[in-house]
């Protein structure tokens, strides 16, 4: 699967906050949470942190054959320092692929020993994205 191989290559050598767990397990967990929604959701889930956390670009994804719709959702999920978190969530909420993957991302993060601040942040974000 193209999207999975891109994510594996992009996140190679990265770890989760514990400094031990390979980072790729996070996108895999997010993909598992959206698998029932279909192929496009799984693609976005695997790629959701690639633009934010690696040297891969949207152009690289497109050149590799990733569909425009998938790349667009991944770009929406990529945080920009110029945007507040609330503004980021408003943009995410407008794209169904991005919205549902972000919900799955937050749930996965909450299942991975979150800090108290993360719990509050994700609880507020989930309420916004769900309602």
């Amino acid at each position: 699967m193209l999207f999975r191989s891109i994510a594996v290559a992009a996140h190679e050598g990265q770890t989760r906050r514990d400094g031990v767990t390979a980072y790729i397990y996070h996108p895999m967990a997010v993909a598992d949470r959206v698998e029932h929604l279909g192929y496009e959701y799984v693609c976005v889930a695997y790629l959701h942190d690639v633009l934010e956390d690696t040297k891969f670009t949207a152009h690289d994804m497109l050149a590799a054959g990733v569909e425009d719709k998938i790349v667009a959702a991944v770009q929406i999920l990529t945080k920009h320092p110029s945007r507040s978190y609330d503004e980021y969530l408003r943009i995410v909420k407008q794209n169904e692929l991005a919205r549902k993957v972000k919900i799955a991302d937050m749930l996965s993060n909450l299942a991975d020993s979150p800090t108290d601040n993360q719990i509050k942040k994700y609880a507020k974000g989930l309420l916004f994205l769900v309602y």
Side-chain angles (χ1 to χ4, degrees):
M1 294 184 228
L2 173 65
F3 57 89
R4 182 181 171 143
S5 62
I6 291 172
V8 168
H11 293 297
E12 184 176 357
Q14 293 180 338
T15 58
R16 293 290 283 164
R17 281 182 293 132
D18 65 8
V20 177
T21 306
Y23 193 86
I24 193 62
Y25 289 114
H26 171 65
M28 289 171 67
V30 176
D32 286 346
R33 290 180 187 278
V34 297
E35 186 174 23
H36 68 283
L37 299 172
Y39 175 79
E40 291 177 335
Y41 292 90
V42 172
C43 293
V44 174
Y46 265 99
L47 298 172
H48 81 276
D49 281 336
V50 167
L51 298 180
E52 187 173 318
D53 296 339
T54 77
K55 293 179 181 179
F56 275 69
T57 67
H59 177 74
D60 295 334
M61 286 185 189
L62 292 167
V66 178
E67 297 173 46
D68 291 349
K69 183 178 184 178
I70 303 302
V71 175
V74 173
Q75 287 177 304
I76 288 167
L77 289 166
T78 302
K79 293 181 200 98
H80 297 279
S82 62
R83 283 192 204 132
S84 71
Y85 188 66
D86 289 342
E87 182 181 357
Y88 164 74
L89 289 180
R90 280 192 296 278
I91 294 166
V92 168
K93 191 172 185 175
Q94 295 173 17
N95 180 286
E96 194 63 8
L97 271 171
R99 185 181 76 84
K100 289 189 176 179
V101 170
K102 186 62 183 175
I103 290 168
D105 177 39
M106 290 175 165
L107 292 172
S108 289
N109 285 328
L110 284 168
D112 188 23
S113 304
T115 65
D116 288 344
N117 284 342
Q118 288 173 316
I119 292 169
K120 291 173 190 170
K121 174 183 168 180
Y122 295 139
K124 181 181 173 187
L126 283 167
L127 286 171
F128 177 76
L129 291 175
V130 170
Y131 298 107

